[in-house]
Amino acid sequence: MAEEAAGGGRGKRGAEGGDRDRDRDRDRDRDRVRDEEGASERGPGAAYHMFVLMEELLDKLKLLSYEEALRPHNMRPLSRHYFALPTNPGEQFFMFCMLAAWLITKAGHPFQQPQEYDDPNAIISNILSQLRSFGRPVDFPPSKLKAGCGEQVCYVLDCLAEEALKYTGFSWKRPVYPTEELEEEEITEDDAELILNKLEEDVVEEESDNEEDFIDLNVLKGQTYRSDMNDTPKHEEILQSTTDAVEWNLEVERVLPQLKVTVRTDNKDWRIHVDQMHQHKDGIDSSLKETRGYLDKLHNEISKTLEKINSREKYINNQLEHLIQEYRSAQALLSEAKEKYQEGSGGVTERTKVLSEITEALERVKQETEEKGSSMTDGAPLVKIKQALTKLKQETIHMDIQIGVVEHTLLQSKLKEKSNMARDMHAAMIPEATMLAMPF
């Protein structure tokens, strides 16, 4: 029965633990739904706010050299989105508690490092009380921090990191950008296109050189023509040349094959690309003229709608300001009540454990009492006693018989000894009498 009672106690504790796990999962699902609803109310970008907050937190932790806090535990450095995405709840919760305790100590408030078997509710309550002591608002339930990830975890660590930076005297300054020299972009092209471009450049340079030579000759001819009209001797000096005509012709024949270049049209030609770019630009300009009017009209409508929304939002905020204050105060009271409930639930679990131990001891005492009662009401011991008494009586009778036999034997031995003594005495007295009766 004690084993059954112990098994029943373990079953009850297992059922209670399963109920607590189910309640915790249900609360987590409810909080997730509430977070999604709150994110949808705040805007489409609210769901990604914790990623930005986590990156800012990581920068602040790096400024505080948080690796020294991880080194005693042999833990890896944090990733960019460590507390933003759920990966390992147990490890993330331990990392959160350890970093929070380290940051609180860095901020000037001594705080003991949490251990593995400490109560999570008590740890979270102590961290939130320290956060309130810094003047930071806490408008969310403590159960949000049990998952070890999420926007609330990032918010708590970010606030503690800011307080630690303030305590260490750190101040943010404007960034100083280094002056970098602009490097020329290297454009990788095909070998054929590069060869073609080089060839075209060489051809263009040679044509430009030839054009410059022709231009110089034309200018020279014009100058010689004008000078010929003005001064004939000077014109004759200019027309005279020291270059040999045969050597000039030979040089022309030698260079002429190198000046003849045949360029095949290719789809990779940059001229075709430039023409296509001009065509596309003309198409874009024509389409832009048609769509600009629609876009301007749409922009005006969106601007008016945004102005109406802003004005309506301001009006609603003004009208509901007192309700928002009441809601915030109610949220604060609710968070305090939940904290007290969590603290009370911790005491209830301890008392439940003590009650189960007392119940097991009571069941054990009941079993011993029942065993004693059953042994008292059972007639088997009385029968054994009666059998023992009869056996003792029989043994007593046998002993009496043996005692009588021994007494009889002893009496006979005494009588025999007495008769022997009398016979000896009589035998001794007869010789003396005969000795006295004889004459001397």
Side-chain angles (χ1 to χ4, degrees):
M1 292 181 66
E3 294 177 355
E4 293 178 357
R10 287 194 295 270
K12 289 180 182 178
R13 289 196 295 274
E16 291 175 357
D19 294 338
R20 286 197 296 271
D21 293 338
R22 285 193 293 273
D23 294 339
R24 192 181 298 111
D25 294 337
R26 195 181 301 112
D27 294 337
R28 191 181 295 112
D29 295 337
R30 191 184 303 112
D31 295 337
R32 188 182 299 111
V33 172
R34 192 182 297 113
D35 292 340
E36 292 176 357
E37 292 177 354
S40 61
E41 291 177 358
R42 287 183 291 174
Y48 305 98
H49 176 65
M50 58 181 174
F51 293 95
V52 180
L53 194 62
M54 178 60 205
E55 292 182 358
E56 295 178 354
L57 170 63
L58 188 59
D59 293 336
K60 295 173 184 176
L61 290 176
K62 288 180 179 178
L63 291 173
L64 291 169
S65 300
Y66 76 104
E67 291 85 0
E68 65 184 16
L70 304 180
R71 196 173 296 116
H73 302 280
N74 294 326
M75 303 185 75
R76 298 179 180 178
L78 303 180
S79 60
R80 290 180 60 193
H81 303 146
Y82 183 80
F83 289 114
L85 298 174
T87 54
N88 189 351
E91 180 183 351
Q92 287 178 320
F93 181 73
F94 179 74
M95 180 70 76
F96 162 70
C97 296
M98 186 264 296
L99 285 178
W102 182 74
L103 290 172
I104 292 170
T105 306
K106 275 280 187 181
H109 293 192
F111 194 86
Q112 187 177 2
Q113 281 287 344
Q115 301 300 324
E116 184 177 358
Y117 298 102
D118 291 346
D119 187 11
N121 298 320
I123 297 172
I124 293 172
S125 177
N126 294 332
I127 291 172
L128 292 179
S129 63
Q130 291 290 337
L131 186 63
R132 291 191 186 95
S133 66
F134 289 119
R136 299 284 184 168
V138 179
D139 55 354
F140 55 85
S143 60
K144 294 278 189 179
L145 303 177
K146 283 188 177 181
C149 62
E151 186 176 357
Q152 290 77 17
V153 173
C154 296
Y155 168 74
V156 172
L157 292 177
D158 185 68
C159 293
L160 294 176
E162 288 183 359
E163 296 297 332
L165 288 173
K166 288 181 183 177
Y167 185 79
T168 55
F170 179 82
S171 61
W172 297 97
K173 298 179 181 179
R174 291 184 176 273
V176 179
Y177 299 102
T179 57
E180 298 179 357
E181 296 180 358
L182 297 176
E183 298 181 356
E184 295 181 357
E185 297 181 356
E186 296 181 356
I187 302 173
T188 59
E189 298 177 353
D190 295 337
D191 294 338
E193 191 171 355
L194 288 171
I195 295 169
L196 183 61
N197 291 334
K198 289 180 180 179
L199 188 59
E200 290 176 354
E201 290 176 358
D202 295 337
V203 172
V204 170
E205 289 178 359
E206 290 178 0
E207 289 179 355
S208 62
D209 294 337
N210 294 331
E211 287 177 359
E212 289 178 359
D213 294 337
F214 283 120
I215 289 171
D216 293 339
L217 291 173
N218 292 328
V219 172
L220 184 58
K221 288 180 180 179
Q223 291 178 356
T224 54
Y225 179 75
R226 286 193 297 272
S227 61
D228 188 22
M229 295 295 294
N230 297 324
D231 191 2
T232 303
K234 189 176 181 180
H235 177 69
E236 291 177 354
E237 291 177 359
I238 294 172
L239 288 178
Q240 290 178 358
S241 177
T242 59
T243 304
D244 189 4
V246 178
E247 293 179 358
W248 180 269
N249 291 328
L250 291 173
E251 184 68 21
V252 170
E253 289 177 358
R254 188 180 65 81
V255 178
L256 186 61
Q258 298 178 5
L259 298 177
K260 291 181 180 180
V261 178
T262 57
V263 181
R264 296 179 181 179
T265 59
D266 192 3
N267 292 328
K268 295 182 179 179
D269 191 3
W270 62 273
R271 296 181 182 84
I272 298 173
H273 294 170
V274 170
D275 294 336
Q276 290 178 356
M277 289 171 61
H278 285 298
Q279 291 176 2
H280 292 316
K281 182 177 180 301
D282 295 336
I284 291 170
D285 292 337
S286 61
S287 300
L288 183 61
K289 289 179 182 178
E290 296 177 0
T291 56
R292 187 181 293 276
Y294 297 106
L295 292 175
D296 292 337
K297 184 178 179 181
L298 183 62
H299 177 265
N300 294 329
E301 291 178 357
I302 292 173
S303 300
K304 291 179 181 178
T305 305
L306 288 175
E307 290 177 358
K308 290 180 181 179
I309 291 171
N310 290 329
S311 61
R312 188 65 179 172
E313 184 179 358
K314 291 179 181 178
Y315 175 74
I316 291 172
N317 289 332
N318 293 328
Q319 292 294 326
L320 301 178
E321 184 67 26
H322 64 285
L323 295 176
I324 293 173
Q325 295 294 334
E326 292 178 359
Y327 175 73
R328 288 176 179 172
S329 61
Q331 284 291 110
L333 294 175
L334 178 62
S335 62
E336 293 178 359
K338 285 186 176 180
E339 289 178 3
K340 292 180 180 179
Y341 170 74
Q342 295 294 337
E343 294 176 357
S345 65
V348 169
T349 53
E350 293 178 358
R351 288 175 177 80
T352 305
K353 185 177 179 181
V354 174
L355 177 62
S356 63
E357 294 177 355
I358 294 172
T359 305
E360 291 177 359
L362 180 61
E363 292 293 334
R364 190 164 52 252
V365 171
K366 284 183 179 179
Q367 184 180 4
E368 293 176 356
T369 306
E370 289 178 357
E371 290 178 356
K372 290 182 179 179
S374 62
S375 63
M376 291 175 66
T377 56
D378 192 7
L382 184 60
V383 174
K384 291 180 180 179
I385 292 170
K386 288 180 179 180
Q387 292 177 357
L389 288 174
T390 55
K391 190 175 181 181
L392 285 173
K393 287 179 180 179
Q394 291 177 0
E395 290 179 355
T396 304
I397 291 170
H398 287 297
M399 289 295 293
D400 291 338
I401 292 170
Q402 291 178 1
I403 291 170
V405 172
V406 171
E407 287 179 353
H408 178 70
T409 304
L410 183 61
L411 180 61
Q412 283 183 354
S413 64
K414 284 182 179 181
L415 290 174
K416 188 176 181 180
E417 185 179 358
K418 189 176 181 181
S419 62
N420 291 329
M421 286 177 65
R423 189 173 59 250
D424 293 335
M425 288 177 66
H426 182 67
M429 288 176 66
I430 288 173
E432 289 180 359
T434 56
M435 289 287 296
L436 291 174
M438 289 179 64
F440 292 102

